[in-house]
Amino acid sequence: MKKVFVTLFAFSALVLGACSDTSNELEGEVFSIFSWTPVISPEDIASDNFNPSSSLEFDFKSSDTVEVRSGGKTFEGDYSLENDTLSLDLKNEDDEASLAMEFRDFTRHEQNEKLYTGTISKLDIKTGGRHRVGSNFSLDGYVGFYKSN
């Protein structure tokens, strides 16, 4: 009887673990986006006063919709978070694809629960080579995402 219970428990844990979904992890969160530099000390990160300012914000409206605000303009699009890769596809005013971005190693920082970091692994500008949001980034750049809500 004990063996059956243990087997059933292990099977249930396996099924629940396989069904876990991180796609809603960002829903409702607003992040200030900033360039990560090596001069940010671990003491600063862990401090309650750590609050980097930025004119670039990612507002995750739902489990797959994001608004990006940059310099007074708002861009809407879709996003996904899978296997520590955050992907965004933004649209222009005509509802056409304008910018696709990916951040690899998108993870919560171990010293501050409001801070996530990632590295830009894709930056595909589809509108004539320039995009207001895309101009804030460069490939392989290290980026900080700080929860502002």
Side-chain angles (χ1 to χ4, degrees):
M1 180 70 165
K2 206 177 207 183
K3 205 182 242 186
V4 172
F5 178 75
V6 171
T7 302
L8 184 59
F9 179 77
F11 178 75
S12 297
L14 181 65
V15 168
L16 289 174
C19 294
S20 67
D21 183 11
T22 61
S23 63
N24 291 336
E25 180 179 336
L26 300 177
E27 185 174 355
E29 300 291 353
V30 178
F31 290 91
S32 293
I33 312 303
F34 62 98
S35 294
W36 188 265
T37 62
V39 298
I40 301 174
S41 73
E43 293 81 23
D44 289 340
I45 293 167
S47 165
D48 289 338
N49 296 326
F50 183 72
N51 190 7
S53 62
S54 173
S55 63
L56 181 63
E57 282 188 343
F58 289 7
D59 185 350
F60 295 95
K61 294 291 189 180
S62 70
S63 62
D64 63 351
T65 304
V66 64
E67 279 186 3
V68 176
R69 291 183 283 277
S70 174
K73 287 217 171 219
T74 301
F75 301 89
E76 295 182 358
D78 301 317
Y79 79 94
S80 66
L81 176 59
E82 296 176 17
N83 300 324
D84 295 334
T85 298
L86 175 62
S87 302
L88 282 82
D89 291 303
L90 301 180
K91 298 176 180 157
N92 63 17
E93 299 84 22
D94 300 325
D95 205 30
E96 296 173 349
S98 61
L99 176 65
M101 301 171 26
E102 281 186 1
F103 301 89
R104 72 175 182 270
D105 302 324
F106 180 80
T107 54
R108 186 183 311 244
H109 197 278
E110 57 201 32
Q111 294 176 315
N112 190 325
E113 66 182 33
K114 289 184 163 188
L115 177 63
Y116 286 70
T117 57
T119 304
I120 300 171
S121 56
K122 177 181 178 181
L123 190 60
D124 185 8
I125 301 171
K126 302 173 187 297
T127 52
R130 261 191 127 283
H131 192 282
R132 168 172 264 158
V133 175
S135 65
N136 291 292
F137 302 104
S138 60
L139 277 176
D140 297 321
Y142 199 42
V143 179
F145 300 76
Y146 191 73
K147 286 186 189 183
S148 54
N149 58 349

